[in-house]
Amino acid sequence: MSAKARIAVLVSGGGTNLQAILDASARGEIPDGEVVLVISDRSGAYALERAQKAGIPTMEINKKACGGQVPFEQQLIAALTTNRVDLIVLAGFLSILTENFTTLYTRRIINVHPSLIPSFCGAGFYGLKVHQAALDRGVKVTGATVHFVNEIPDGGEIIAQKAVDIQPGDTPEILQRRVMEQAEWIILPKSVEIISKEIISTMKSE
Ligand SMILES: Nc1nc2c(c(=O)[nH]1)N[C@@H](CN(C=O)c1ccc(C(=O)N[C@@H](CCC(=O)O)C(=O)O)cc1)CN2
Ligand SMILES: NCC(=O)N[C@@H]1O[C@H](COP(=O)([O-])[O-])[C@@H](O)[C@H]1O
C-alpha cells in the first residue's frame, strides 16, 4: 500500500469545507493524502461531528479554556507530533496562528479563503464579513483562494484560485453559498491532493 501524507484539519465551525475534503477523499480524489485527525479551537464546532461520522479521530483544544493562543498552540503541536501529521489544512479555522507556529510548518499548512486574495482578506475578514465587503465594494467577480499559511493572515503563497460571478440581488448568505459550491469545494480538495503528492514525493527523495 503506497504511503500517504497524514493530514490534520483545523476547524472552528460548521465544517462545510472539511466535508468537501472528506467527500472528495471518499470519491478517491485524494489518493496521496489521508485525514487522520480533526481539531477544533472552540466548543460546539459541528465540524467535529462531521469527522466523527466519517470515523476520523477528533480533538477539541479550547483556546479560551486553555489560556489563549500560545497554550493552544503548545497543545496543538503536541497533538500534531503524536499523530505524525505531515500536512495541516485550515478549513473554516478562525484563529490567527503565530509566527512561532507557522515557522515550524513552512509549506506544510494550507488555508482556503473565500475571496480572490489580495482582495478582502487579512485580519477581520472571515465568514460572511468577506462577502459583505465584496458586495459593499461593488465588485462583479469574487471567488476563493487556497494558499500556503505563513505568519501574515492570508499572506502566504497562492496555490489556487477560482472566480465566481456576483449576481444582482446577491446577499452575503447567497454569495457565500455560491462561492463555497462553485469555488471553495472545488479548489480545496484538488489543492490538498497536489500538496499531499508533493510531500510524499519529497519524503521519498529524502
Ligand atoms: N498565521 C495565519 N493564521 C491563519 C491564517 C493565515 O493565513 N495565517 N488564515 C486564517 C483563516 N482566515 C482567512 O482565511 C482568517 C480567519 C480569521 C480571521 C480573523 O480576523 N479572526 C478574528 C477572530 C475570529 C474568532 O476567533 O472568532 C481575529 O483574529 O480577530 C482572519 C482570517 C486562519 N489563521
Ligand atoms: N477566512 C476563513 C473563512 O472565512 N472561512 C469561511 O468560513 C465559512 C465556514 O466554514 P466551515 O463551514 O468550513 O466551518 C466558509 O464560508 C469559509 O469560506
Side-chain angles (χ1 to χ4, degrees):
M1 182 174 180
S2 60
K4 293 173 180 278
R6 295 174 61 84
I7 302 166
V9 182
L10 306 190
V11 299
S12 297
T16 60
N17 285 327
L18 168 67
Q19 194 65 56
I21 296 169
L22 300 181
D23 292 349
S25 186
R27 294 192 299 266
E29 296 170 8
I30 308 178
D32 292 298
E34 177 188 17
V35 178
V36 298
L37 183 61
V38 176
I39 300 175
S40 173
D41 65 348
R42 59 199 71 190
S43 59
Y46 185 67
L48 295 190
E49 291 189 42
R50 293 180 188 266
Q52 288 154 9
K53 287 176 182 174
I56 296 168
T58 62
M59 285 182 71
E60 177 189 312
I61 305 176
N62 191 300
K63 188 173 71 171
K64 284 184 180 174
C66 71
Q69 189 68 27
V70 170
F72 165 78
E73 291 181 1
Q74 288 168 343
Q75 292 189 42
L76 178 59
I77 291 166
L80 296 171
T81 304
T82 300
N83 288 276
R84 296 178 288 114
V85 169
D86 303 306
L87 174 60
I88 301 161
V89 179
L90 309 186
F93 184 68
L94 299 181
S95 294
I96 302 300
L97 296 164
T98 68
E99 185 172 12
N100 288 341
F101 182 89
T102 59
T103 51
L104 287 177
Y105 298 97
T106 302
R107 296 181 71 85
R108 290 290 186 271
I109 314 170
I110 66 175
N111 176 60
V112 59
H113 180 72
S115 79
L116 295 175
I117 290 173
S119 297
F120 314 117
C121 66
F125 286 96
Y126 58 95
L128 290 172
K129 296 170 185 275
V130 178
H131 306 292
Q132 184 65 67
L135 293 170
D136 290 345
R137 184 64 185 82
V139 296
K140 306 309 177 187
V141 176
T142 187
T145 302
V146 176
H147 62 92
F148 284 111
V149 169
N150 63 19
E151 71 282 2
I152 303 165
D154 302 327
E157 175 188 342
I158 290 172
I159 298 167
Q161 293 188 303
K162 186 166 177 52
V164 171
D165 288 335
I166 292 179
Q167 296 174 4
D170 273 350
T171 64
E173 291 79 6
I174 291 171
L175 186 53
Q176 178 180 62
R177 189 73 190 180
R178 188 179 310 123
V179 168
M180 285 197 285
E181 292 175 345
Q182 297 183 13
E184 292 181 81
W185 299 347
I186 293 170
I187 64 175
L188 179 58
K190 287 182 179 177
S191 299
V192 170
E193 168 53 20
I194 289 166
I195 304 305
S196 293
K197 186 188 288 286
E198 282 183 9
I199 290 170
I200 292 301
S201 175
T202 301
M203 289 164 70
K204 285 177 178 174
S205 65
E206 286 173 344

